[in-house]
Amino acid sequence: MRAGPNLGTWALLGEKTSSDRPGRRALILVENLSVPFDRRVWQECTTLRDAGWEVHVICPRGEKRDTEAEAVIDGVRIHRYPLRAATGGPAGYLREYGTALWHTLRLARKVGPVDVVHACNPPDLLFLPALWLKRSGARFVFDQHDLVPELYLSRFGRGKDLLYRGVCALERMTYRAADVVIATNESYRDVAVRRGGRKPEDVFVVRSAPDTDRFHPVPAEPELKRGKPHLLCYLGVMGPQDGVDYALRALAKLRDELGRTDWHAVFVGGGDTFDAMVELSRQLGLAEQVQFTGRIPDADLVRYLSTADVCLSPDPHNPLNDVSTMNKVLEYMVMGRPIVSFDLREARVSAGDAAVYAPANDEAEFAELVAMLLDAPEERARMGEIGQERIGGPLAWRNSQRSLLAAYAAACRDAAPGSTGGQDRAGTRPRS
């Protein structure tokens, strides 16, 4: 059953525009996560649904959830295909992406004509099915979740080699094919304008925001601290660029150099380096104080975050992390948790004074800041309140809803200069 219209969405829109009239069809393409597990994409789906769009999604199947080939969830029709994640370096990614493209085109034919095709990277190959759909009159919205050239440099450490030049070329082709571009923050927007040659008025910032139905504090459970006074928590993906190794080495310094053993740490999530991080914790002698849960149900995740005294955002400074918005930072904030982060440009934009910042990649200073917060309960509470206020204000999803709907209006060329859509284009960039 389709959910009823969200009155808050209509309040954002004011009067209903012709781009929101019933019967408009949008097709969202996703390759790197299943839906609705991809929370950002799901928020976009439901926003468009509430604005009168018929929304279809093509995405891979999940391993433990989102496993059905087809599903209709809250009025959104989801078409899923089998996909094996890449292994073995760049060659593995080429195999993965080739399979994903074949299935995406196959399922797009099944969906039929649409008014908008909305492609979420990575990879920067989804412009190919988008171009095919444009031949039938669809408009192309490019939703840039990652800067793939920076991702390549940060993940593989191969420098600006032939493959790097190839991903740069694919990004350029994607920018050129798009009618409008959606960026996740101002840094990405600047790249779209400067490197992608896009007009500023055709690039819309749609920031990710936590799902407040999913994330809200519950009473703390002291038993999760495993007999220690304090609980430290990491939430997120564990890949080569995510800094879990930095966090573990910082915790070893917290114990060995600062003499602090009054904490238990839990690392929630999975990824390519999960097994390697478990082994690193053993090598550092942290196995008794550090717990790896893997991916866990939302209810258990909320229990850990509600009990945590300090949350960790150890993403190291690299070309991608410095300009990317980290979902875990936003999720820590909505839960009212203080954060220790390395000093990254977009980390400061998101968290502001809800975090303290160690110099880039300085594990010793990261440990010092954790210790400082453990000894400052009033400061932790103040930082947590700041984070919640920011999530409820300038970083709230309602602001991004306006920008998303304005992007669709611009893609469909229904917003004339000076109209509500044109004003949204200039006025919905989030402020920090």
Side-chain angles (χ1 to χ4, degrees), residues 17 201 204 405-407 409-410 414-428:
T17 70
E201 61 268 25
F204 299 78
L405 296 171
D414 286 331
S419 70
T420 301
Q423 291 166 2
D424 277 343
R425 198 158 50 226
T428 58

Side-chain angles (χ1 to χ4, degrees), residues 77-262:
R77 184 172 291 277
I78 305 170
H79 312 263
R80 304 191 183 107
Y81 55 85
L83 185 66
R84 180 177 296 179
T87 57
Y93 282 92
L94 291 175
R95 288 191 294 271
E96 174 190 332
Y97 296 156
T99 301
L101 282 175
W102 185 85
H103 283 295
T104 298
L105 285 166
R106 173 180 64 84
L107 291 170
R109 291 189 185 98
K110 179 179 178 181
V111 171
V114 295
D115 297 279
V116 170
V117 55
H118 176 153
C120 307
N121 83 330
D124 286 340
L125 287 167
L126 294 176
F127 77 95
L128 294 170
L131 283 175
W132 178 73
L133 289 163
K134 285 188 75 170
R135 293 171 58 188
S136 300
R139 307 310 295 265
F140 175 26
V141 173
F142 172 39
D143 191 349
Q144 191 165 27
H145 290 190
D146 278 312
L147 299 176
V148 177
E150 282 79 0
L151 176 61
Y152 180 85
L153 291 175
S154 302
R155 186 177 181 91
F156 296 113
R158 297 163 60 104
K160 296 184 178 181
D161 61 1
L162 181 61
L163 280 174
Y164 171 79
R165 293 194 291 273
V167 297
C168 289
L170 291 172
E171 183 189 68
R172 287 194 299 272
M173 287 186 275
T174 302
Y175 280 135
R176 288 173 190 159
D179 293 290
V180 299
V181 175
I182 289 174
T184 57
N185 58 38
E186 290 291 346
S187 294
Y188 279 33
R189 182 179 186 272
D190 290 344
V191 170
V193 173
R194 172 178 47 82
R195 190 164 79 199
R198 300 300 314 212
K199 295 178 181 178
E201 61 268 25
D202 288 334
V203 185
F204 299 78
V205 173
V206 177
R207 293 186 64 95
S208 296
D211 181 350
T212 54
D213 292 331
R214 178 190 182 208
F215 284 99
H216 52 83
V218 299
E221 300 181 31
E223 59 270 22
L224 296 179
K225 299 184 180 185
R226 299 279 183 93
K228 299 291 185 177
H230 302 295
L231 180 67
L232 311 177
C233 190
Y234 171 91
L235 162 65
V237 176
M238 298 185 190
Q241 72 274 16
D242 295 305
V244 175
D245 53 336
Y246 284 80
L248 291 172
R249 289 190 293 266
L251 293 182
K253 292 179 184 296
L254 180 65
R255 179 197 60 194
D256 298 337
E257 298 179 12
L258 301 180
R260 301 294 296 258
T261 60
D262 56 343

